[in-house]
Amino acid sequence: MAKPDVPSDSISARDIVILKARVANPTASTRELSKILEDEYGISLSHNRINEILREMSEKDIFKKTILPHENLFRHYLFRIGFYYPNFEEYWEDCYWDLVNDPNILMFFNADSNYQWHAIAQFRTNEQMQRWVHNFFKEHGQLISQFHNTMLHNVHKFQTDAEIFDDILRETEEGRQYLSRKQEKETEQVEAER
């Protein structure tokens, strides 16, 4: 089921900066990350230590190494699933695990006060999606009272931006210092280009 939140205060500001640099530079080697961290944030670590820190954060489930295919490879759909509550206790768990383990489900979550399940699914064709929905009803129909399906026609953004980590960095003095250092470096670079 849902994993507990990772409290941001259990992760050092330095490690958040390392994670931010990795997200901003996903294909950079740890040697390149070491240089970026030194140049932009004044963090001096060997590439081996950066690799260790990233591995430790991954093992603690702070981030996942995931490959996301380009959004144009698949058609995306939002499924909203409402329950027939008299059957919930008996059937919810099988349905839950089938959704969690289904390769077509990209994201699975609760999102409203009605406690409906929502899923973002991906299929190559509308026909594959329709077949999936048909089979889902055959397998789990006794649990479902409502099923809404919305095709997401134009996915305009499908990524996590590195700047989102600035929100966490602003929570601590150390994090604010790293952000300040990066801002100073950016200002110096702009002035040098004039």
Side-chain angles (χ1 to χ4, degrees):
M1 299 235 247
K3 293 183 179 179
D5 292 338
V6 176
S8 60
D9 61 354
S10 70
I11 308 164
S12 74
R14 180 203 65 189
D15 291 354
I16 293 293
V17 170
I18 293 170
L19 185 57
K20 177 182 176 182
R22 169 49 78 209
V23 169
N25 305 279
T27 60
S29 69
T30 53
R31 287 185 193 278
E32 292 167 318
L33 281 181
S34 179
K35 180 157 178 35
I36 290 166
L37 291 167
E38 176 69 39
D39 292 348
E40 295 183 12
Y41 297 97
I43 296 173
S44 180
L45 295 170
S46 73
H47 70 280
N48 290 327
R49 182 65 184 125
I50 292 169
N51 194 42
E52 288 173 9
I53 292 167
L54 287 168
R55 187 181 64 248
E56 289 167 4
M57 285 194 288
S58 177
E59 288 170 356
K60 292 178 183 175
D61 251 356
I62 294 169
F63 75 95
K64 296 183 185 317
K65 295 177 185 175
T66 303
I67 295 174
L68 291 175
H70 192 276
E71 64 270 14
N72 291 334
L73 285 175
F74 297 98
R75 294 179 181 186
H76 293 85
Y77 304 83
L78 173 63
F79 297 154
R80 292 176 305 282
I81 304 165
F83 306 113
Y84 179 65
Y85 287 103
N87 289 344
F88 187 81
E89 186 175 350
E90 184 176 351
Y91 296 108
W92 77 269
E93 195 166 7
D94 287 342
C95 184
Y96 175 91
W97 288 112
D98 282 354
L99 288 169
V100 166
N101 295 317
D102 191 297
N104 295 102
I105 301 299
L106 176 65
M107 185 182 294
F108 173 43
F109 51 96
N110 291 56
D112 59 30
S113 61
N114 294 326
Y115 299 101
Q116 294 180 342
W117 289 347
H118 293 63
I120 296 177
Q122 52 191 2
F123 299 91
R124 286 289 292 157
T125 66
N126 286 335
E127 293 77 22
Q128 287 177 336
M129 180 276 301
Q130 290 168 352
R131 191 171 342 114
W132 185 95
V133 170
H134 176 80
N135 291 332
F136 184 75
F137 270 94
K138 281 173 55 176
E139 183 68 26
H140 301 291
Q142 67 277 16
L143 177 63
I144 300 167
S145 71
Q146 296 176 354
F147 188 93
H148 299 278
N149 175 9
T150 303
M151 182 175 180
L152 309 176
H153 293 279
N154 296 308
V155 177
H156 300 287
K157 184 175 180 178
F158 195 68
Q159 69 185 37
T160 297
D161 293 329
E163 291 77 16
I164 193 69
F165 296 102
D166 292 351
D167 293 342
I168 298 172
L169 291 170
R170 286 185 195 98
E171 295 173 5
T172 66
E173 180 59 34
E174 182 185 10
R176 289 188 292 274
Q177 289 173 1
Y178 286 131
L179 290 173
S180 178
R181 163 107 174 150
K182 182 168 178 28
Q183 182 63 46
E184 289 170 9
K185 287 291 187 178
E186 289 172 351
T187 301
E188 289 173 11
Q189 186 177 5
V190 167
E191 289 175 1
E193 292 173 359
R194 288 184 186 173

